[in-house]
Amino acid sequence: MNNITEINSLENWQSASRERRGDICNSIIEKLPGRFKLAKPYLLKSPSNGKEIEIPCFYDELYETPLNLIFGGDFIYGACSQHIESIRNICEPNDWSMISQLIHQSDGNENTHINPFLMSRFPVYEWVLEENINLSNDLERPDFYSEDGPFPAYVNLQEATSFMEKSGYRMPWDSEWEYVSKEFKNNLFTCGEEIPSRDLSDDICLTQFGDSGLNYAASNNFGIAGLAIAAFTRIKGAKDDIIVRGGAAGFYPFQHPSQWAMLLTELQLPIKNMPGQLAGLRLCLDIPEL
């Protein structure tokens, strides 16, 4: 738990003076490993009043990874009854019987609290993994290769653990991933309330990140892109209980009507459901004590 009240909510950050924001960013940098530096902030328009907000970004020079500050807040963790009904109404009966078993339902608590933390803007790139851990040549991984820029790679849990131990990062808690994907608005999908159109799916399911314009279009209100890339998350309170979130990008363009379900913010996939039990990595760090 940190003691910086200004980052405990988006509203607090927006109310802070520019000088105070700068002091906070500098204080965080001083406590992070020396490989970090302040980067150009991500700009968003506040969902409440439309004003432009600068989201601090911290760049890891060793692993060439930008991480955004995720402000704290409360949200509904899991699908409320209204979301369950909405999903049921969208589904064909046969699809619902399968999808319903994978939806994480809310326990009725609308005030699940998330402390502020740092999350990587993009999934870990293939070349970053190859330079730092041994990737097995015996696994059949999704091919996200593109000449248009860096692209992610899927790994197994052993490879994921090796990278985390070497780099000092952690996986997101499952509640953190869902909080970010709902982006202050209790989204049904990682892109809003409706099944996305083809054009919007192109943005959400982006798998190469070399174009700043495309990256911005693919980013949500936290400045996080690539949430349709599968990512390991950890369930709080359950020892070694790791699941997978996202994953729609690995099946895009969709070949089956029910594959849009992988864009749901409340869909939890057991690792065994993933081909080869592989997923991508989303890097997180706790805010250091100041």
Side-chain angles (χ1 to χ4, degrees):
M1 176 72 72
N2 73 83
N3 57 357
I4 315 171
T5 59
E6 289 87 350
I7 64 175
N8 285 336
S9 73
L10 176 64
E11 293 74 21
N12 286 4
W13 182 255
Q14 198 170 4
S15 298
S17 68
R18 180 175 292 274
E19 181 180 10
R20 175 58 180 157
R21 294 180 197 175
D23 289 343
I24 291 170
C25 291
N26 288 330
S27 297
I28 292 174
I29 276 289
E30 289 175 2
K31 292 289 185 176
L32 291 173
R35 66 182 194 255
F36 282 88
K37 69 176 183 180
L38 276 174
K40 183 178 179 181
Y42 179 84
L43 298 179
L44 71 82
K45 288 188 177 179
S46 169
S48 60
N49 56 27
K51 292 184 178 179
E52 194 171 75
I53 304 173
E54 292 186 351
I55 294 184
C57 183
F58 303 86
Y59 187 69
D60 184 338
E61 294 183 298
L62 179 59
Y63 296 101
E64 299 197 29
T65 296
L67 293 95
N68 280 3
L69 174 62
I70 305 298
F71 304 108
D74 295 335
F75 82 118
I76 302 174
Y77 178 38
C80 60
S81 58
Q82 181 180 354
H83 274 194
I84 294 291
E85 189 62 24
S86 296
I87 299 167
R88 183 197 297 268
N89 290 337
I90 294 170
C91 291
E92 296 293 333
N94 289 341
D95 294 334
W96 170 249
S97 64
M98 175 185 64
I99 293 169
S100 61
Q101 301 176 43
L102 302 174
I103 294 173
H104 168 224
Q105 297 195 30
S106 171
D107 61 5
N109 182 8
E110 297 189 3
N111 294 302
T112 297
H113 183 70
I114 300 297
N115 292 321
F117 65 103
L118 303 180
M119 176 180 271
S120 61
R121 282 207 64 199
F122 312 103
V124 180
Y125 298 143
E126 182 183 57
W127 68 265
V128 174
L129 292 164
E130 288 181 336
E131 286 192 358
N132 289 282
I133 61 172
N134 294 321
L135 292 178
S136 172
N137 294 322
D138 299 328
L139 298 176
E140 186 175 344
R141 308 175 196 269
D143 183 8
F144 295 127
Y145 171 77
S146 171
E147 295 181 354
D148 298 323
F151 53 93
Y154 282 6
V155 295
N156 61 27
L157 273 179
Q158 182 178 356
E159 293 167 335
T161 300
S162 295
F163 184 83
M164 296 295 184
E165 289 178 348
K166 179 174 183 180
S167 64
Y169 286 106
R170 64 170 175 84
M171 295 177 184
W173 293 107
D174 188 68
S175 56
E176 290 175 336
W177 189 97
E178 189 172 311
Y179 173 70
V180 169
S181 71
K182 288 184 172 179
E183 54 175 355
F184 308 116
K185 299 180 292 186
N186 196 32
N187 286 350
L188 186 62
F189 297 94
T190 55
C191 47
E193 286 299 297
E194 305 291 338
I195 295 178
S197 64
R198 178 61 182 268
D199 288 346
L200 184 55
S201 293
D202 284 344
D203 292 338
I204 300 304
C205 294
L206 186 69
T207 58
Q208 60 79 29
F209 302 99
D211 183 285
S212 60
L214 293 177
N215 291 349
Y216 190 85
S219 300
N220 72 1
N221 280 331
F222 285 104
I224 303 300
L227 286 169
I229 304 291
F232 292 116
T233 67
R234 190 181 297 274
I235 302 289
K236 276 194 172 181
K239 184 179 180 181
D240 297 327
D241 193 356
I242 296 174
I243 59 170
V244 175
R245 291 298 202 126
F251 299 93
Y252 187 75
F254 304 139
Q255 303 299 312
H256 188 277
S258 67
Q259 288 177 335
W260 54 262
M262 298 187 78
L263 291 170
L264 289 168
T265 59
E266 294 147 345
L267 196 77
Q268 295 178 326
L269 294 173
I271 295 176
K272 65 182 181 181
N273 286 30
M274 293 297 294
Q277 300 188 23
L278 304 174
L281 287 179
R282 181 71 65 168
L283 305 182
C284 293
L285 283 176
D286 294 325
I287 303 293
E289 291 285 347
L290 302 182

